[in-house]
Amino acid sequence: GAGVSQTPSNKVTEKGKYVELRCDPISGHTALYWYRQSLGQGPEFLIYFQGTGAADDSGLPNDRFFAVRPEGSVSTLKIQRTERGDSAVYLCASSLMAATSPNTEAFFGQGTRLTVV
Amino acid sequence: AQSVTQLDSQVPVFEEAPVELRCNYSSSVSVYLFWYVQYPNQGLQLLLKYLSGSTLVKGINGFEAEFNKSQTSFHLRKPSVHISDTAEYFCAVRLNNAGNMLTFGGGTRLMVKP
């Protein structure tokens, strides 16, 4: 597809369950980012990949959150033992050029709305 | 660490009226500045960005913003709004000497009334 694709668009899970959220970046984009947007707030940075490696994971809130990008394209955000406070929209973005390039534009997906009940 | 403050959580305005959405930031190093728009059930879309050079930047859909370094502000303006401009607007900063992580403000909901 032409844009960043995130699946599922909505996910409802029970407290304590494990969930996986998928992000398909724009083809050829080497940089990939995950953000979390809680209700009524702006997106908050979680993790950034350059290729297959996590270049910056300083935004992950705790060790229940983990993300992978094994082949440098699709990424999966994994949340273990979900809690009600994890409910949010999880946004993925990708960009073409190296992270430090000033002209790099990040393109965002529509997000996955996670609800933990 | 850097931070972004959007002073107004909601801005109601009548169609064809001018609007200004305020954004202030703090950072100990130079930053790049961005405005994004989020329509209902859609992803974030870049409106405009300031990297360097002229402090007045023009974006899509008739929006513009002015970078004011002394006031650490990057307010977004449009001289005449349309109903279709109703959306959530986010100001964001990115450090210019680090990775591509964006720090967002809390957002401003622009509500254009007929």
Side-chain angles (χ1 to χ4, degrees), chain B residues 16-79:
Chain B
E16 298 183 6
V19 71
E20 179 179 82
L21 306 184
R22 296 180 292 171
C23 172
N24 287 86
Y25 69 94
S26 67
S27 175
S28 57
V29 298
S30 295
V31 297
Y32 301 128
L33 296 153
F34 304 82
W35 274 98
Y36 285 85
V37 59
Q38 188 175 36
Y39 298 103
N41 300 315
Q42 294 189 28
L44 292 163
Q45 180 182 3
L46 181 66
L47 268 180
L48 48 80
K49 60 186 176 185
Y50 172 79
L51 304 180
S52 64
S54 173
T55 57
L56 182 64
V57 292
K58 295 187 182 299
I60 61 172
N61 301 340
F63 284 93
E64 63 180 31
E66 185 155 21
F67 169 57
N68 187 319
K69 188 173 182 179
S70 63
Q71 296 185 6
T72 60
S73 68
F74 191 55
H75 300 334
L76 181 70
R77 297 192 291 258
K78 186 169 182 178

Side-chain angles (χ1 to χ4, degrees), chain A residues 30-35 45-60 67 69 93 95 97-100 104, chain B residues 98-101:
Chain A
T30 59
L32 184 146
Y33 320 85
W34 284 98
Y35 291 82
F45 170 78
L46 294 177
I47 187 170
Y48 153 57
F49 287 90
Q50 184 64 40
T52 60
D56 185 345
D57 64 358
S58 61
L60 294 177
R69 195 185 184 199
S95 64
M97 299 175 70
T100 53
T104 301
Chain B
N100 211 348
M101 179 187 75

Side-chain angles (χ1 to χ4, degrees), chain A residues 3-97:
Chain A
V4 177
S5 175
Q6 291 187 247
T7 54
S9 55
N10 281 283
K11 175 72 176 177
V12 179
T13 190
E14 293 181 345
K15 179 176 178 295
K17 298 289 188 183
Y18 167 83
V19 296
E20 290 189 352
L21 312 179
R22 177 187 168 106
C23 173
D24 273 278
I26 294 172
S27 179
H29 281 195
T30 59
L32 184 146
Y33 320 85
W34 284 98
Y35 291 82
R36 179 170 69 174
Q37 186 176 15
S38 300
L39 189 63
Q41 298 182 25
E44 294 177 303
F45 170 78
L46 294 177
I47 187 170
Y48 153 57
F49 287 90
Q50 184 64 40
T52 60
D56 185 345
D57 64 358
S58 61
L60 294 177
N62 52 60
D63 61 5
R64 295 188 297 105
F65 288 74
F66 190 70
V68 296
R69 195 185 184 199
E71 298 179 357
S73 178
V74 171
S75 176
T76 304
L77 179 66
K78 309 180 180 193
I79 310 174
Q80 298 177 320
R81 304 183 304 279
T82 51
E83 300 176 357
R84 291 193 179 88
D86 298 335
S87 296
V89 175
Y90 289 82
L91 297 169
C92 177
S94 70
S95 64
L96 177 61
M97 299 175 70

